[in-house]
Amino acid sequence: MDLHGLHIITLLWLSSGMASPLDSLGKRYMCCPGWSSVNGICTKPVCKYNCWNHGQCIAPNKCLCNIGFQGPLCEQPRCRVSCANGGVCIPPFRCACPPGYTGRTCQTAICSPACLPPQRCQAPNQCTCPPGLTGPQCTIDVNECETGTARCQHGCINTPGSFRCTCQSGYRLANDGRSCIAICDKPCRNLGVCLIPNHCSCFPWFSGAACEVVRRR
């Protein structure tokens, strides 16, 4: 191995038509595999395939890649950010976003026209809608009475963006806003329970419309 760290694998006396380099004694020699001669010295590495994207061949079949590229031939883009929503890396710090998205990493959806506050754009041209509204801009009313989401016990009235449950005559709306409770004009006594309008369900030892009569045993 000489001062340049290169092997002279063999000394060959060749015909004068050969293009091999000459040493100081006029002897011809060949560079080791993976190296080529520059000014008679085997100092230039050889890469079988060209390095892409302005990469440099720094050793036999080894490329030094520029920032933003990787791979054996520097053929693969390498982003220092992670592209979202199908974005494509444009090395080293930028993403090419698909239609409907924007931002450094394509993280922000685009809604046109813009969503009305407090809604936000959750996907291209799709706003986050409150309960009772739907559509790209949340302008379409959802009929909860028809979809069955209202779950009213008796009747249902659809309203813009919402609904209202109603009860039949003789019943009132319970605190849950959906159930109906029977109304007894006379309060049930003696632990009786009003199950249907103006009729109490009494314990066995009571009777009467309001369970006010004690039965004789």
Side-chain angles (χ1 to χ4, degrees), residues 48 59-60 106 157 203:
K48 184 177 180 180
C106 308
I157 298 175
F203 279 89

Side-chain angles (χ1 to χ4, degrees), residues 52-53 65-71 74-79 91-92:
W52 291 23
N53 299 304
C65 302
N66 286 323
I67 295 176
F69 296 95
Q70 62 184 355
C74 308
E75 76 281 9
Q76 301 171 6
R78 180 182 180 182
C79 267

Side-chain angles (χ1 to χ4, degrees), residues 14-202:
L14 302 173
S15 65
S16 59
M18 297 294 291
S20 300
L22 298 175
D23 66 7
S24 60
L25 300 178
K27 298 176 182 178
R28 297 186 181 276
Y29 64 89
M30 296 178 64
C31 294
C32 294
W35 296 90
S36 63
S37 172
V38 177
N39 297 324
I41 303 175
C42 300
T43 56
K44 183 178 180 181
V46 176
C47 289
K48 184 177 180 180
Y49 301 102
N50 291 333
C51 301
W52 291 23
N53 299 304
H54 306 290
Q56 297 179 358
C57 183
I58 59 171
N61 294 320
K62 183 177 182 181
C63 295
L64 175 64
C65 302
N66 286 323
I67 295 176
F69 296 95
Q70 62 184 355
L73 302 178
C74 308
E75 76 281 9
Q76 301 171 6
R78 180 182 180 182
C79 267
R80 295 190 177 183
V81 292
S82 179
C83 301
N85 298 308
V88 178
C89 169
I90 298 179
F93 304 112
R94 194 163 67 90
C95 297
C97 301
Y101 290 94
T102 187
R104 181 167 176 244
T105 60
C106 308
Q107 77 280 7
T108 304
I110 300 173
C111 287
S112 181
C115 302
L116 298 176
Q119 285 75 46
R120 62 181 181 82
C121 187
Q122 65 175 350
N125 293 324
Q126 180 58 61
C127 302
T128 56
C129 298
L133 295 174
T134 188
Q137 304 300 316
C138 306
T139 56
I140 301 174
D141 177 63
V142 176
N143 192 328
E144 294 86 354
C145 299
E146 291 182 355
T147 61
T149 57
R151 300 191 303 277
C152 296
Q153 183 176 359
H154 286 178
C156 180
I157 298 175
N158 184 60
T159 61
S162 187
F163 64 93
R164 178 167 56 87
C165 294
T166 59
C167 296
Q168 299 172 2
S169 177
Y171 293 84
R172 64 179 177 84
L173 200 62
N175 291 334
D176 63 6
R178 289 179 166 85
S179 305
C180 293
I181 301 174
I183 299 172
C184 289
D185 292 336
K186 292 183 178 181
C188 298
R189 299 170 59 185
N190 298 310
L191 301 180
V193 179
C194 185
L195 295 181
I196 59 177
N198 292 319
H199 184 82
C200 296
S201 176
C202 305

